[in-house]
Amino acid sequence: MLDIRRIVADREAVAAGLANRNAAPDLEPIIALDNRRKALQAERDQLKFEQRTLSEGFKGKGKPADEVAALRDRVRAIGDRITALEDESRQVEDELNAALLVLPNVPHASTPVGHDETANVVVRTWGEKPTFDFTAREHDDLGRDLGILDMKRGANVAGARFAFLTGAGAQLERALSAFMLDVHTREHGYTEVLPPFLVNEQTMTGTGQLPKFREELFVTQDQLFLIPTAEVPVTNLHRDEILEEDALPVKYAAYSSCFRREAGSYGRDTRGIIRVHQFQKVELVKFAHPERSYDELEKLVADAEDILRRLGLHYRVMSLCSGDIGFSAAKCYDLEVWLPGQGAYREISSCSNFEDFQARRLNARYRDKATKKPALLHTLNGSGLAVGRTLVAVLENYQQADGSVVVPEVLRPYLGGLERIVARS
C-alpha cells in the first residue's frame, strides 16, 4: 500500500500519478482520517501523561480524604476517556487502512504515460518471425490432431476453460517446467521453492490480490484461496521478517499451478489454452535493496528473456504504460512471444517492480548496515515463464507441414531424446 506520509506530504504528485493510471480517488477523506488519527493519538498521549502525574499524588501521606477522593475520581475519568479514545483510534485506523488498501501504486517516473495498451512502448525485439510454405495453424488445432490436447474432455470434466494435456503434450509441459527451473536455479542464481497452492486471506492481502481482485479468485468453504500465481505465497515467505542487507537480493524460483476465474474476460481468447482457469507457471520473485531494485528489474527481465532465446522463440519486450500496469506495480515490462498460428504477439511473462508497495503490507524489511535500523524492502516478480503459453508458442512456431511439431533441441534431453511430436496411430 502507499505510505500515508507520502500522500500527506506530496498529495498533488500522488494524485497526478494515480490519474495517469486511470484512477482518480479523492485523497482528502484519507488525509482527514490521518489527521483524526493523529489528533486522537495526541489527546491520548496527553491524558496518559496527566494520569501518571496525578497518580504520583497518591504517594504522599497525610493528604485530606476529600483531596484523595478527587484525585481518584479524576484518574478514573481520565482512564475512561483513554479507553474511549483507544476504541475510536482503532476504528479510525481500520477505516484508514481499508482506504489505503484499495489505492493502486503510483507509477515510476520511467513508466510511459498513457490510458491503455495502445500507449505501451516496444523496448526491443529478439529473433525473427518464422516463415512457412504452408498456412500456419493455431495450437488447439495442432494439439487436437496430434492427440495431445483435449479441450472437449476438459470441459466435460471441469467446465469451460479447462483442458487435458495427454501423452507428449503432458510430457512437453513437464519438460518446459523442468528446463525453466534448471536454468533459473543453476545459472541465474535463484533458489527453488515449491509453495503451498492454498493460502489465507492475510497472504492474499499482502501482495495486493485482496481486496481488489476478490471476484477473480477461487476460494474454499473454509476461506482458503487457490493461488493465482506463485508470487503470492513466495512473496509472503518473508512477511514480518527482517533480512540482512548483505543477503540482498534474495531470489526465488517457484513452480506452481495457478487458478484464476478470468472474471470479465469472457469472449476473449476462448480457443485453446491461452486463457484458462488453471495453468502452470514458473515464477521469479526478488527481495531487493531499494537503491538497486530497478537494476534488479532489468536483470529479472533478462532472465525471463533467456528462456525464450534458448527456445529460439521470437519475442518483443514492452514497457507498459501507466494505464496498463498492474494494481501493485510501479513499473512493468511484458514479454510477448510471437504466435504464427494466430498471427499475433501474446504475453508470456510480466515482470514488475512493486517498490515498497507490497513490503508495507507484508512488513517485509531489511536491516540497513549504516543505520542498523530496519527499512522496507522492494519486491519484484515475473514469470519465468508461463508454461502453458510457452507450450503454445512451441507448437505454433515449430509446426511442420505434415502437422507434426519439432521439439526444440534444449528440451530433447527432458523428453528422452524425442525430436518430433507426431500424431499417435
Side-chain angles (χ1 to χ4, degrees), residues 209 212-219 226 228 259-265 277:
Q209 275 67 33
K212 173 70 173 176
F213 301 106
R214 185 177 292 271
E215 67 175 9
E216 298 182 14
L217 303 172
F218 288 101
V219 59
L226 278 72
F259 306 88
R260 300 181 187 178
R261 288 189 182 277
E262 295 291 354
S265 68
H277 293 310

Side-chain angles (χ1 to χ4, degrees), residues 100 121 171 182 205 262-264 302 314 390:
L100 291 172
V121 176
Q171 294 164 14
D182 283 350
T205 303
E262 295 291 354
H314 167 61
T390 309

Side-chain angles (χ1 to χ4, degrees), residues 175-190 192 253 282 307 310 384 410 414:
L176 284 165
S177 302
F179 166 67
M180 293 174 190
L181 287 169
D182 283 350
V183 171
H184 292 313
T185 59
R186 297 175 184 176
E187 301 184 37
H188 296 159
Y190 293 80
E192 185 172 348
V282 170
I307 301 296
R310 294 181 189 222
V410 293
Y414 296 90

Side-chain angles (χ1 to χ4, degrees), residues 249-410:
V250 175
K251 301 162 41 173
Y252 295 110
Y255 167 85
S256 77
S257 289
C258 307
F259 306 88
R260 300 181 187 178
R261 288 189 182 277
E262 295 291 354
S265 68
Y266 289 92
R268 297 174 56 199
D269 302 323
T270 56
R271 292 187 58 174
I273 56 173
I274 288 290
R275 192 179 295 275
V276 287
H277 293 310
Q278 176 187 327
F279 57 96
Q280 281 59 245
K281 188 149 64 85
V282 170
E283 192 75 2
L284 307 177
V285 173
K286 288 187 177 185
F287 297 85
H289 191 286
E291 294 179 2
R292 297 185 287 276
S293 66
Y294 279 94
D295 290 336
E296 292 300 330
L297 177 61
E298 298 300 324
K299 294 176 183 177
L300 179 68
V301 175
D303 291 340
E305 287 183 78
D306 189 30
I307 301 296
L308 289 170
R309 294 187 181 196
R310 294 181 189 222
L311 290 170
L313 297 171
H314 167 61
Y315 67 91
R316 65 185 184 185
V317 178
M318 307 291 292
S319 180
L320 300 195
C321 74
S322 56
D324 199 32
I325 58 175
F327 174 81
S328 300
K331 185 176 180 65
C332 179
Y333 292 106
D334 271 7
L335 275 59
E336 297 181 343
V337 69
W338 175 251
L339 299 181
Q342 297 186 28
Y345 289 99
R346 293 289 188 179
E347 176 198 335
I348 199 166
S349 175
S350 188
C351 300
S352 301
N353 187 350
F354 305 106
E355 298 184 352
D356 62 11
F357 188 85
Q358 292 178 328
R360 181 167 286 103
R361 292 174 177 233
L362 298 165
N363 192 32
R365 298 170 292 168
Y366 73 99
R367 192 176 308 282
D368 186 281
K369 288 176 63 177
T371 66
K372 308 301 182 184
K373 295 180 180 180
L376 290 172
L377 290 156
H378 280 194
T379 62
L380 305 88
N381 82 271
S383 304
L385 305 160
V387 182
R389 291 195 177 190
T390 309
L391 183 145
V392 167
V394 168
L395 292 181
E396 293 199 12
N397 281 273
Y398 284 92
Q399 63 181 294
Q400 306 298 303
D402 62 0
S404 65
V405 173
V406 172
V407 176
E409 288 189 17
V410 293

Side-chain angles (χ1 to χ4, degrees), residues 22-43:
N22 304 325
D26 185 358
L27 298 179
E28 293 309 314
I30 296 176
I31 294 172
L33 283 170
D34 185 56
N35 288 335
R36 180 58 181 159
R37 178 184 64 82
K38 292 174 182 175
L40 291 168
Q41 178 69 48
E43 184 180 353

